[in-house]
Amino acid sequence: MTVAAETEPRPAPLWRNRDFGLLWSGAAFSILGMRVCSIAWPLLVIFDGGSAERAGLVGFAALLPQLVVQLPAGVLVDRWDRKKVMICSDLIGLTAIASVLAALLIWRLTLPHLLIAAFLAGSASVCYQLSERAAVRAVVHPSHLSAALSQNEARSKGAGLLGQPISTVLLSFASWMPFCVTVIGHALSILTLLAIRTPFQQVRRRKRASLGGELVAGLRWMRDQKLLRSALVVISGTNIISQVLTLAMILIIKESGGAVTTIGLIGVATGVGGLLGALCGSWFMARFGLGTLFVGTLVLRMLLIPSIAFFSEPWVLAAVFAAMSWAGGLMNVVGGVYQIRITPEEMQGRAASVGALITSGANSLGPLTGGLLLGAWGTSVTVLGAAGSMAALAVLAGLAARRFGVPAHERQAE
């Protein structure tokens, strides 16, 4: 260790980092607005007299960017100035939502208009979140990375928890109110971005490959990261299992004579669990290795799942789903920290986009898989099968960590 390294001053606490605070709060406004809007899309169609098919079509248009925009957005985030990408994304989202707001207030809203606006808002959300995730490493000290990402994950969980009640309550007063909140959220995000002084990336290389060439380079880099690739596949599998278990829980509540409000309360407990798991992520990472935490969260969920097959009491289900969501929130922090640490700065956007495509792209398979299994086997057998699948994923994660190695800096002290 050099003398310069020994005498390097300790960084100021994360809470005193002005630019991170602005980035975090601006993203909180923007992401909360996006969550409110995403829930309002299908509700707006249904309560305006539209059919379930139309509502599903609008929901599909809002989620389609997760599949078709994710990879090219990752390339653009790595090529362009990330702050400008975030500002442009906010402007696009603001314009798309404002057009819906204006149509609701001034003229008649049509289905094609709603489809286009939902797709544009969803595309802007993808670009914004990829840029914001890549920018975190530029505005915080390396020793604060796990704490910063833990706070970011908690923010996302909190936005998801608050988005549904805010959207439904506002929609009950007037159809335009949720979209007004989203417009305000984008505007506040732009103001905070303009106030940040730290560049969101290093100076770009002058000579560049084509968009297709850079996309291929990103895919090749991910292919070579065997441990990260294995972790993403495991997370994708856990997401499918979570969707299956959620559908099973709904059937259990219905078959036991429970009300729809009971499902909502279990959803709130699940959101709180995920929020707490994200908040304590940096504490656990300072004391345990990444591999230990990753496998441990899988084992915990595997042990909890069988309870769903044998208990129908709402308080038991709420506790089980909250605990599993806690483990999932912690896993997201662990995986996010590892990915950002090992990814070259100039490839942050592409790595995040590939990761998001692998983990989130499988979400649509969960309800389909769950419906088929529950229809064929019933709730108890399906839930026990999910527990077995989670056990298999835990074994695979342990083998991957053992075979491909875990980074030497897996213990990150704050």
Side-chain angles (χ1 to χ4, degrees), residues 174-253:
S175 60
W176 55 268
M177 290 185 71
F179 301 97
C180 183
V181 168
T182 304
V183 168
I184 294 172
H186 283 303
L188 291 174
S189 174
I190 293 172
L191 292 177
T192 59
L193 287 169
L194 293 173
I196 297 175
R197 296 189 293 258
T198 305
F200 286 1
Q201 69 282 311
Q202 299 172 357
V203 178
R204 294 288 198 254
R205 303 187 309 268
R206 291 186 177 181
K207 189 175 182 180
R208 291 189 173 279
S210 63
L211 288 174
E214 292 197 357
L215 176 59
V216 171
L219 293 172
R220 286 176 177 170
W221 181 88
M222 182 63 76
R223 179 198 62 190
D224 295 335
Q225 309 307 310
K226 296 180 180 179
L227 181 59
L228 176 59
R229 188 183 63 204
S230 301
L232 292 173
V233 171
V234 169
I235 292 175
S236 177
T238 63
N239 287 343
I240 294 176
I241 293 174
S242 296
Q243 298 285 341
V244 172
L245 293 175
T246 298
L247 187 56
M249 178 268 293
I250 293 173
L251 289 178
I252 291 171
I253 294 296

Side-chain angles (χ1 to χ4, degrees), residues 13-49:
L14 185 61
W15 63 270
R16 291 179 56 188
N17 186 327
R18 171 186 176 274
D19 286 345
F20 174 72
L22 289 169
L23 181 65
W24 189 94
S25 58
F29 292 131
S30 185
I31 293 174
L32 178 60
M34 295 172 191
R35 294 287 190 274
V36 169
C37 187
S38 65
I39 294 166
W41 290 125
L43 294 177
L44 175 65
V45 175
I46 291 175
F47 284 92
D48 195 40

Side-chain angles (χ1 to χ4, degrees), residues 8 11 137 140-147 337 341 412-414:
E8 183 180 351
R137 195 168 79 167
V140 303
H141 190 273
S143 64
H144 293 160
L145 183 60
S146 60
V337 169
R341 281 180 181 166
Q412 178 69 26
E414 288 298 324

Side-chain angles (χ1 to χ4, degrees), residues 119-350:
F119 181 82
L120 288 176
S123 300
S125 175
V126 168
C127 295
Y128 182 96
Q129 294 187 63
L130 287 176
S131 299
E132 193 261 344
R133 182 185 179 92
V136 171
R137 195 168 79 167
V139 299
V140 303
H141 190 273
S143 64
H144 293 160
L145 183 60
S146 60
L149 291 182
S150 179
Q151 292 185 29
N152 281 7
E153 179 67 17
R155 178 195 61 204
S156 297
K157 295 292 185 182
L161 184 62
L162 295 174
Q164 182 170 353
I166 291 176
S167 183
T168 52
V169 168
L170 292 177
L171 200 61
S172 66
F173 285 103
S175 60
W176 55 268
M177 290 185 71
F179 301 97
C180 183
V181 168
T182 304
V183 168
I184 294 172
H186 283 303
L188 291 174
S189 174
I190 293 172
L191 292 177
T192 59
L193 287 169
L194 293 173
I196 297 175
R197 296 189 293 258
T198 305
F200 286 1
Q201 69 282 311
Q202 299 172 357
V203 178
R204 294 288 198 254
R205 303 187 309 268
R206 291 186 177 181
K207 189 175 182 180
R208 291 189 173 279
S210 63
L211 288 174
E214 292 197 357
L215 176 59
V216 171
L219 293 172
R220 286 176 177 170
W221 181 88
M222 182 63 76
R223 179 198 62 190
D224 295 335
Q225 309 307 310
K226 296 180 180 179
L227 181 59
L228 176 59
R229 188 183 63 204
S230 301
L232 292 173
V233 171
V234 169
I235 292 175
S236 177
T238 63
N239 287 343
I240 294 176
I241 293 174
S242 296
Q243 298 285 341
V244 172
L245 293 175
T246 298
L247 187 56
M249 178 268 293
I250 293 173
L251 289 178
I252 291 171
I253 294 296
K254 180 182 178 182
E255 291 170 357
S256 63
V260 176
T261 53
T262 302
I263 298 172
L265 291 175
I266 294 175
V268 171
T270 302
V272 171
L275 177 62
L276 294 176
L279 286 174
C280 68
S282 61
W283 188 91
F284 276 93
M285 291 189 66
R287 292 161 176 80
F288 301 95
L290 297 181
T292 300
L293 289 175
F294 195 70
V295 176
T297 55
L298 292 169
V299 172
L300 175 60
R301 288 199 274 188
M302 178 266 294
L303 295 175
L304 289 168
I305 289 173
S307 303
I308 303 172
F310 300 112
F311 297 94
S312 60
E313 291 80 2
W315 67 270
V316 175
L317 295 175
V320 170
F321 274 87
M324 290 194 298
S325 184
W326 178 89
L330 178 58
M331 176 190 283
N332 288 342
V333 173
V334 172
V337 169
Y338 177 56
Q339 178 178 309
I340 288 182
R341 281 180 181 166
I342 69 168
T343 304
E345 196 281 333
E346 69 276 6
M347 203 170 284
Q348 288 285 335
R350 282 167 285 176

